[in-house]
Amino acid sequence: MKQAKKTIDGEVVYRGRSMGQETWRRLKKNKGAMIGIAFLILLILATTIANFVYDYDTDIIAMSRDRFLAPCKDHIFGTDNMGRDIFARVIYGAKYSLFISLGSTAIGLLVGLFLGALAGYYGGLIDNVIMRLTDIFYSIPYIMIAVVVVSLLGTSTMSLLFAMALGTFSAFARITRASIMTVRDQEFIEAGYAMGLPTWKIIIKHVLPNCLSPIIVQTTLKVGANIISASSLSFLGVGVTPPTPEWGAMLSDGRSYIRSSGWMCLFPGLAIMFTVLALNLLGDGLRDAMDPKLKK
Amino acid sequence: MENVLEVKDLVVRYETDDGVVYAINGLSFSIERERTLGLVGETGAGKTTTAMSILNLVPDPPGVIAGGSITLDGKDVLSMSEKELEKMRGNDVAMIFQDPMTALNPVIAVGRQIAESLVIHEKISSDKAMERAKGMLEMVGISASRSYDYPHQLSGGMKQRVVIAIALACHPTFLIADEPTTALDVTIQAQVLALIKNLIDNNHMSMLLITHDLGVVAEVCDDVAVMYAGRIVEIGTADDIFNHTGHPYTEGLFNSLPNLKQKGEDLIPIKGLMPDPMRLPEGCSFSPRCPYKTEVCNSSCPSLQLVEGKHYVACSRLGFLKK
């Protein structure tokens, strides 16, 4: 859009805003998205500061004394079966949960975007080969893939990341392919060729930006889903190894004490819930803000 | 006078699963510098395929350019490499598309879409290109302040002006306009035609105007070619075609237009439909619908014959109409 600026001699000058500025301007008006962003920034800040200021081993594990303390003044989230402060563990755990879910989604997105764009734009044999391969991955439950990968590569954060990316890319490939196929036959693509644009530029500048909104929504939903997946895998014991304070692993630890000390499950569970909610709110807001057709 | 474009014996087929579509069957015409040729014909006559062939953009598969040559400014388009083609498209030859609603990218501001072509062909910075794009918008009659608007914020006529601005951005020597006014209402049509004509004259460009509207042709074109089933049946100056019609098909087209001088008269439509391009009739492809056909028309396919000056007609019974 344009921005009117009065210069000294009273002449009105119009200046454009970049795509990023414009998106931000409209995102600011969306309350849900702003709450989501605020929560995520707070979480990232807290986990970063906690990791710089305190050392997990000396400050949390070594300081543990009282076991199964209910939430109180000193330990606002209570303590667990080892006497560790749950609030501190939840904040530390954000690092692992966010890193694994963002990382696996990013890898899945890049691979899926590339494969989906190839399949959707060229069609024919390329499309068939790529999509049937994708179908194979889509048809295996992600927990199966993860268990196989983790047992092959050993239990580590990196192998968990890789396993979850394998389970993620197929959804992105499908969504990208479908939306590219609706865009590829439109006249402005032909107009791009008639203007002398090379194919790769047409795909990047004209086809992909028109497919962005479903992909953005899918991305934010996947980040949320992957937090839950990572937690589930840790809960099952194939994810992050203890004593790493990953949220799912904390849930798993608290399971045995859920009758007597429910707060051990409650707080990591709430952390997962609110983070996923924040990501979804942000995703919805981004989709609305980036679509020029929804402009008011 | 020197020719900007020369098309010789062009043959284009679409090889689909259902059979071969003979879209263009031995098409020849040329356009002189700073002249405008109107290519007229009904839907499916091969007009758009002709335009796409000139840019070597016939979708392949299923399209195959099976023969002939297209020479543009002395260079053979059909033997160019992909790199040379990219350099030629948009720079030497530009195209105005039929439907401005879909010819613009909905997620890029219109100014940037004009600038894009400049950045590619003139290798200037995107800020400089944006300044030039604003100038182009002013030239087609849109305020420069609209350059950051998206296509959905403009009306249909304005969008077509933007499409024209994109086509003219790099000052091409040759312009292809594929039914530029079909999607617009009549008042806007007149404005857009006047704009195109003005720009063509001021920039000393040549144009191929594709249309099925004879009124548009009369207003804008110096020369006219009438196309039927992938061939040119009559070509000449606008005066030749309008006042000394030589082909039964052209005559049929004029008879199906309302005539202001003889109000109340019935229109005489051309009987039948255009032949299926998968199964073209033997001999003259217009013969099944021709009111003047004889035995000869069923067996031999007539080629273009000189009538006088620059006027050529492809009919076995040449001269019949004049009597």
Side-chain angles (χ1 to χ4, degrees):
Chain A
M1 281 295 279
K2 61 217 175 204
Q3 219 169 14
K5 265 201 175 176
K6 282 241 162 72
T7 54
I8 306 147
D9 45 341
E11 196 188 348
V12 180
V13 175
Y14 290 100
R15 200 168 58 83
R17 291 202 190 93
S18 72
M19 174 106 177
Q21 287 172 313
E22 185 59 25
T23 306
W24 174 239
R25 195 178 66 85
R26 273 177 286 151
L27 195 65
K28 273 196 296 196
K29 291 184 188 156
N30 187 325
K31 282 202 186 81
M34 291 323 285
I35 293 173
I37 289 182
F39 182 83
L40 290 174
I41 289 178
L42 210 69
L43 192 69
I44 291 170
L45 269 181
T47 187
T48 318
I49 291 170
N51 276 286
F52 271 115
V53 176
Y54 301 107
D55 180 62
Y56 183 71
D57 291 326
T58 52
D59 288 324
I60 310 297
I61 298 184
M63 292 300 284
S64 43
R65 274 180 207 104
D66 307 304
R67 303 165 58 193
F68 300 119
L69 268 183
C72 58
K73 215 171 62 186
D74 287 343
H75 304 282
I76 53 170
F77 284 4
T79 59
D80 65 2
N81 56 329
M82 311 271 210
R84 296 172 293 197
D85 182 63
I86 293 181
F87 178 72
R89 295 201 83 207
V90 166
I91 295 296
Y92 272 98
K95 181 176 76 169
Y96 297 96
S97 288
L98 286 176
F99 173 71
I100 291 168
S101 64
L102 285 175
S104 60
T105 312
I107 298 171
L109 173 70
L110 284 180
V111 175
L113 213 56
F114 180 70
L115 292 179
L118 277 185
Y121 197 79
Y122 287 104
L125 184 69
I126 301 177
D127 181 25
N128 261 318
V129 171
I130 291 177
M131 290 326 285
R132 293 305 79 77
L133 264 173
T134 313
D135 283 347
I136 293 174
F137 277 99
Y138 208 69
S139 62
I140 308 171
Y142 78 94
I143 288 188
M144 294 273 283
I145 299 180
V147 169
V148 170
V149 169
V150 168
S151 56
L152 279 176
L153 299 178
T155 326
S156 74
T157 312
M158 277 336 245
S159 60
L160 184 67
L161 198 75
F162 179 62
M164 283 180 27
L166 267 185
T168 309
F169 87 92
S170 50
F172 283 115
R174 282 184 162 205
I175 254 177
T176 311
R177 169 179 177 269
S179 36
I180 278 187
M181 286 174 96
T182 62
V183 174
R184 133 191 110 168
D185 291 326
Q186 290 196 26
E187 208 168 34
F188 65 84
I189 302 300
E190 204 178 319
Y193 279 113
M195 204 194 271
L197 295 177
T199 306
W200 62 269
K201 237 184 180 147
I202 286 180
I203 295 185
I204 291 175
K205 276 197 83 173
H206 291 274
V207 182
L208 277 180
N210 274 292
C211 309
L212 268 191
S213 36
I215 294 172
I216 286 171
V217 175
Q218 179 74 10
T219 308
T220 49
L221 290 180
K222 268 286 168 198
V223 174
N226 277 356
I227 288 185
I228 297 176
S229 304
S231 303
S232 321
L233 289 169
S234 305
F235 186 85
L236 291 174
V238 285
V240 175
T241 44
T244 309
E246 205 275 332
W247 293 339
M250 289 169 70
L251 270 181
S252 174
D253 290 343
R255 190 182 35 156
S256 336
Y257 313 102
I258 195 161
R259 278 158 185 269
S260 53
S261 318
W263 57 85
M264 277 183 68
C265 288
L266 179 69
F267 291 108
L270 284 178
I272 294 173
M273 199 189 90
F274 280 119
T275 312
V276 174
L277 181 67
L279 282 164
N280 286 1
L281 284 174
L282 174 62
D284 271 4
L286 263 184
R287 180 199 49 194
D288 293 348
M290 287 185 80
D291 191 347
K293 278 171 280 185
L294 288 176
K295 244 187 213 176
K296 280 170 204 145
Chain B
M1 222 183 186
E2 167 199 15
N3 287 335
V4 174
L5 176 77
E6 256 176 74
V7 177
K8 268 209 188 91
D9 305 318
L10 183 70
V11 180
V12 180
R13 293 193 296 254
Y14 291 105
E15 294 175 350
T16 66
D17 292 342
D18 301 326
V20 181
V21 177
Y22 296 93
I24 293 182
N25 313 296
L27 186 77
S28 302
F29 65 91
S30 56
I31 298 177
E32 288 173 11
R33 200 165 284 284
E34 289 188 40
R35 279 179 86 88
T36 296
L37 176 79
L39 194 59
V40 189
E42 56 194 291
T43 307
K47 305 187 299 283
T48 300
T49 304
T50 308
M52 285 326 214
S53 309
I54 295 170
L55 289 169
N56 201 350
L57 268 179
V58 177
D60 175 22
V64 182
I65 298 180
S69 69
I70 297 173
T71 319
L72 196 100
D73 260 339
K75 283 169 281 183
D76 183 7
V77 173
L78 298 181
S79 64
M80 277 187 186
S81 70
E82 198 56 38
K83 270 257 155 354
E84 290 172 305
L85 282 172
E86 277 167 16
K87 226 179 130 191
M88 178 237 351
R89 294 174 191 149
N91 198 22
D92 303 329
V93 188
M95 186 150 172
I96 297 174
F97 282 83
Q98 180 171 352
D99 187 357
M101 313 298 159
T102 56
L104 294 172
N105 188 335
V107 300
I108 300 181
V110 290
R112 300 214 179 277
Q113 297 196 47
I114 302 173
E116 188 171 25
S117 163
L118 289 165
V119 170
I120 290 171
H121 292 297
E122 313 216 333
K123 313 248 180 305
I124 54 178
S125 74
S126 80
D127 285 343
K128 259 192 191 148
M130 202 62 199
E131 285 311 308
R132 292 263 305 269
K134 286 176 184 167
M136 294 303 297
L137 274 180
E138 298 271 4
M139 193 183 78
V140 295
I142 299 177
S143 154
S145 65
R146 303 297 297 265
S147 55
Y148 295 101
D149 281 4
Y150 289 88
H152 72 278
Q153 293 168 310
L154 303 178
S155 71
M158 288 169 96
K159 276 188 228 180
Q160 190 60 296
R161 286 164 190 265
V162 172
V163 172
I164 292 169
I166 292 176
L168 296 184
C170 291
H171 303 293
T173 48
F174 183 60
L175 187 69
I176 303 171
D178 187 358
E179 310 202 16
T181 55
T182 309
L184 306 173
D185 60 64
V186 187
T187 47
I188 306 298
Q189 261 189 28
Q191 289 176 13
V192 168
L193 279 179
L195 173 70
I196 293 179
K197 202 170 158 48
N198 239 325
L199 293 172
I200 293 272
D201 290 345
N202 292 344
N203 295 313
H204 306 289
M205 292 158 59
S206 328
M207 175 164 76
L208 173 67
L209 178 75
I210 296 174
T211 180
H212 49 239
D213 187 339
L214 286 164
V216 169
V217 169
E219 202 168 317
V220 180
C221 300
D222 307 310
D223 303 305
V224 181
V226 182
M227 222 178 152
Y228 186 80
R231 283 194 187 85
I232 283 177
V233 292
E234 184 166 4
I235 184 167
T237 62
D239 178 59
D240 290 334
I241 306 292
F242 281 83
N243 300 325
H244 309 283
T245 311
H247 196 278
Y249 177 61
T250 319
E251 187 197 46
L253 288 180
F254 284 124
N255 283 342
S256 23
L257 286 177
N259 191 334
L260 280 179
K261 284 176 194 146
Q262 287 154 309
K263 284 178 193 164
E265 288 233 330
D266 282 348
L267 296 181
I268 312 164
I270 306 174
K271 288 195 190 75
L273 291 170
M274 184 124 102
D276 181 354
M278 283 192 197
R279 281 177 292 275
L280 287 177
E282 269 180 57
C284 173
S285 42
F286 186 61
S287 63
R289 303 170 74 182
C290 184
Y292 310 108
K293 75 165 174 185
T294 59
E295 285 302 309
V296 195
C297 301
N298 292 334
S299 52
S300 79
C301 175
S303 54
L304 284 171
Q305 292 162 50
L306 182 66
V307 180
E308 62 174 330
K310 290 197 287 181
H311 190 193
Y312 292 81
V313 174
C315 182
S316 308
R317 307 193 66 199
L318 185 64
F320 181 85
L321 276 183
K322 290 198 171 158
K323 284 164 199 164

